[in-house]
């Protein structure tokens, strides 16, 4: 259990070396992006804060994204690193309203990795791509010396088409918007943790690892004017809402009694001292929609098997930009701030 929790996340101070918490999706990661990659002149030409960049291509719009996957263990209840790499990049594309089309895959392999394990991962990626309706069209392989990596790392990049008329961005969030979540939170992080640490819960927890394309398309098909979307990966629900509130310049008020957390995840978090609002998901998203369309949006989400537990969990309020607060079961209020790092590292 010594490596179980990353509770010793360093405070958001200046560091002369990279810390594990710099990759956790919290305050230190945001600081790293702002002070290194976006420091003038920015290393990134496209500095919009979104899960993917939307760029013009003639008269059309193209969404581009890239992500790397370093999860340990590589196989966990409900998924594996290959499936995670495909779903994760597809989900980053659909969070900007795009329809995913193509993926690339880069593999960093450590000398000694079992060939059979690599075959299993590639087969899983192939099946996940088929399920998502995307094509893996190019790739790269590098092999490093034994001990120089952790077996297998994967980078996937994706491209998708943004249909005309879609504008999904944190800047569109407005006070009064309803905040929806597509399902119960925290399953992926607890599922990975259970295998990593050899924990056995009374009710086994499966990762929620899944593609979000059908849920997003269901919202648009129902005519919902989706203002913003974000998948709740590193840092979980609370971190995703903090990012959207900061980038959208708004405040968000959550209702604790409305946030769906299944009994097994709730029990595991209570036992381990974790807050399920900060535990990673890999098949959940939040959606900001106009209040008058909230019920239509919920019906659209619940009409798909991946969204049956969708819920309205809060609303956007007037207030300081970036403030996310929680009305507790007892009627009090609690600030949900960005963590410095992450409760559970290496979960995606």
């Amino acid at each position: 259990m010594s490596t179980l929790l990353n509770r010793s996340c360093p405070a958001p101070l200046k560091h002369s070396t990279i810390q594990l918490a710099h990759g956790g999706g919290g305050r230190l990661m945001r600081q790293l992006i702002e002070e290194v990659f976006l420091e003038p002149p920015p290393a990134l030409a496209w500095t919009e804060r979104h899960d993917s960049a939307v760029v013009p291509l003639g008269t059309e719009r193209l969404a581009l994204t890239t992500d790397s996957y370093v999860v340990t263990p590589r196989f966990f209840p409900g998924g594996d690193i290959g499936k995670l790499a495909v779903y994760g990049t597809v989900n980053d594309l659909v969070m900007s309203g795009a329809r995913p089309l193509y993926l690339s895959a880069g593999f960093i392999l450590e000398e000694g990795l079992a060939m059979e394990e690599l075959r299993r991962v590639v087969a899983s990626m192939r099946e996940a791509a088929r399920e998502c309706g995307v094509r893996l069209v190019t790739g790269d392989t590098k092999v490093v010396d034994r001990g120089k990596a952790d077996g297998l790392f994967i980078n996937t990049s994706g491209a998708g088409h943004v249909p005309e008329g879609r504008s999904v961005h944190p800047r569109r969030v407005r006070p009064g918007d309803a905040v929806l979540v597509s399902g119960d939170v925290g399953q992926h992080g607890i599922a990975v943790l259970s295998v990593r640490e050899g924990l056995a819960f009374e009710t086994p927890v499966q990762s929620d690892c899944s593609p979000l394309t059908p849920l997003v398309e269901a919202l648009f098909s129902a005519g919902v004017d989706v203002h913003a979307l974000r998948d709740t990966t590193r840092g979980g629900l609370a971190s995703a809402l903090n990012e959207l509130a900061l980038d959208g310049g708004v405040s968000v008020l959550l209702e604790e009694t409305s946030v769906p957390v299944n009994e097994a995840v709730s029990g595991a978090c209570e036992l381990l001292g974790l807050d399920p609002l900060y535990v990673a998901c890999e098949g959940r998203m939040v959606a900001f929609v106009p209040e008058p369309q909230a019920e239509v949006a919920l019906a659209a989400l619940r009409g798909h098997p991946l969204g049956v537990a969708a819920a309205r969990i809060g609303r956007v309020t007037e207030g300081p930009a970036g403030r996310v607060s929680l009305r507790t079961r007892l009627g009090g209020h609690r600030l949900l701030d960005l963590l410095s790092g992450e409760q559970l590292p290496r979960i995606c």
Side-chain angles (χ1 to χ4, degrees):
M1 294 280 281
S2 60
T3 60
L4 176 60
L5 306 179
N6 189 30
R7 285 173 160 175
S8 59
C9 290
L13 304 174
K14 301 290 184 181
H15 294 273
S16 59
T17 59
I18 289 294
Q19 308 294 304
L20 193 59
H22 279 119
R27 191 177 299 281
L28 273 187
M29 185 170 183
R30 194 174 180 91
Q31 185 183 66
L32 177 72
I33 293 171
E34 290 176 349
E35 297 184 0
V36 176
F37 298 107
L38 298 183
E39 183 181 22
L44 297 174
W46 206 263
T47 57
E48 295 283 349
R49 304 295 181 86
H50 213 338
D51 283 331
S52 58
V54 177
V55 297
L57 182 65
T59 59
E60 303 293 329
R61 290 180 299 156
L62 192 66
L64 298 172
T65 191
T66 189
D67 208 342
S68 299
Y69 297 86
V70 297
V71 64
T72 181
R74 291 185 286 277
F75 296 87
F76 48 84
D80 57 73
I81 189 172
K83 184 182 288 187
L84 195 64
V86 172
Y87 290 164
T89 296
V90 163
N91 289 345
D92 282 346
L93 291 171
V94 298
M95 291 302 98
S96 62
R99 288 175 177 156
L101 296 172
Y102 302 107
L103 297 182
S104 72
F107 296 84
I108 297 177
L109 312 174
E110 182 180 341
E111 180 186 18
L113 176 71
M115 195 67 75
E116 179 55 30
E117 183 173 346
L118 180 60
R119 286 199 177 96
R120 284 179 62 193
V121 170
V122 173
S124 182
M125 293 180 73
R126 190 181 298 120
E127 174 59 25
R130 185 201 60 76
E131 178 186 359
C132 295
V134 297
R135 294 179 61 192
L136 280 159
V137 292
T138 188
D140 178 58
T141 302
K142 295 288 187 299
V143 179
V144 298
D145 293 339
R146 194 183 298 268
K148 300 297 185 183
D150 194 13
L152 168 63
F153 297 147
I154 300 175
N155 172 272
T156 44
S157 297
H161 175 247
V162 183
E164 186 177 356
R166 290 189 183 181
S167 178
V168 181
H169 199 283
R171 291 195 309 268
R172 295 198 63 215
V173 174
R174 297 286 181 270
D177 280 357
V179 182
L180 315 179
V181 67
S182 65
D184 51 341
V185 301
Q187 288 187 212
H188 175 72
I190 297 301
V192 171
L193 178 67
S194 68
V195 180
R196 183 189 299 175
E197 303 296 337
L199 302 176
F201 302 115
E202 186 173 347
T203 303
V205 177
Q206 296 277 319
S207 170
D208 49 53
C209 183
S210 54
L212 294 169
T213 316
L215 296 182
V216 173
E217 290 300 320
L219 289 175
F220 286 113
S221 296
V224 177
D225 180 19
V226 180
H227 285 174
L229 299 167
R230 184 63 52 93
D231 51 352
T232 57
T233 53
R234 284 172 299 185
L237 174 67
S239 296
L241 292 177
N242 267 280
E243 291 170 0
L244 285 169
L246 281 166
D247 297 338
V250 297
S251 291
V252 173
L253 175 62
L254 284 190
E255 301 291 341
E256 185 175 23
T257 55
S258 300
V259 178
V261 183
N262 79 40
E263 191 173 339
V265 169
S266 179
C269 286
E270 186 173 345
L271 177 68
L272 299 169
L274 299 173
D275 185 339
L277 299 180
Y278 288 93
V279 176
C281 313
E282 287 294 338
R284 301 287 184 259
M285 67 177 188
V286 289
F288 287 65
V289 302
E291 169 58 32
Q293 296 185 325
E295 290 304 318
V296 173
L298 275 177
L301 293 173
R302 290 169 178 165
H304 191 277
L306 292 175
V308 291
R312 183 198 306 225
I313 57 174
R315 59 189 172 86
V316 179
T317 65
E318 300 281 358
R323 185 177 68 185
V324 179
S325 57
L326 178 78
R327 196 197 318 269
T328 69
R329 298 178 190 281
L330 300 177
H333 282 76
R334 170 187 155 207
L335 188 64
L336 297 178
D337 205 354
L338 274 175
L339 298 180
S340 292
E342 189 173 28
Q343 294 183 116
L344 308 172
R346 300 284 304 276
I347 44 72
C348 65

